[in-house]
Amino acid sequence: MDETFFRQFEALMDKYTELLLGQTNEELKEKVKAWALYSHVAKSMPALVKHWNELYPEAKEQMKQLIAEIKRLNDEARANAKKP
C-alpha cells in the first residue's frame, strides 16, 4: 500500500467520523477506528474477543466506555441534525 492509499483512507475515516458523530478530529478518528475494528472482530470472531476480554478486563472496560461515548455522540449528532 502506498502513501496515496493511506491519505485517501484517512479522508474516508474523516468523513465517516463526521457523519457518525457530527464532528471529527484525530482523537475521535482513532476512537472510531478502535470501535469499528473491535465491533468487526466481535462479529467475525466472537471467541477471540471473549478471550481478549478475559485476558484484559481493564481494556474491556475501556472499550465499553468507548462504545458508550460513541453511542452518546452519535445520538447527540442525530438529535442536532433533526433540529430545524
Side-chain angles (χ1 to χ4, degrees):
M1 290 184 270
D2 61 20
E3 186 64 31
T4 301
F5 167 80
F6 286 111
R7 280 196 318 273
Q8 293 168 345
F9 184 76
E10 285 302 309
L12 173 67
M13 291 308 303
D14 273 333
K15 192 60 177 178
Y16 181 63
T17 302
E18 180 185 341
L19 292 172
L20 183 67
L21 306 179
Q23 58 185 317
T24 188
N25 61 44
E26 290 303 314
E27 181 182 2
L28 288 176
K29 269 194 334 187
E30 290 304 312
K31 288 179 178 185
V32 167
K33 286 178 187 179
W35 164 76
L37 184 56
Y38 181 87
S39 297
H40 176 74
V41 174
K43 290 176 185 169
S44 63
M45 295 186 175
L48 175 59
V49 170
K50 183 177 185 284
H51 175 72
W52 183 83
N53 288 341
E54 291 169 355
L55 194 59
Y56 303 108
E58 303 86 17
K60 175 187 174 185
E61 287 304 312
Q62 287 182 335
M63 184 55 69
K64 286 171 56 177
Q65 292 173 5
L66 176 64
I67 291 167
E69 178 184 2
I70 288 175
K71 181 180 179 350
R72 179 183 55 79
L73 290 171
N74 178 256
D75 290 345
E76 290 174 6
R78 290 174 22 172
N80 289 336
K82 290 182 182 179
K83 292 181 182 177

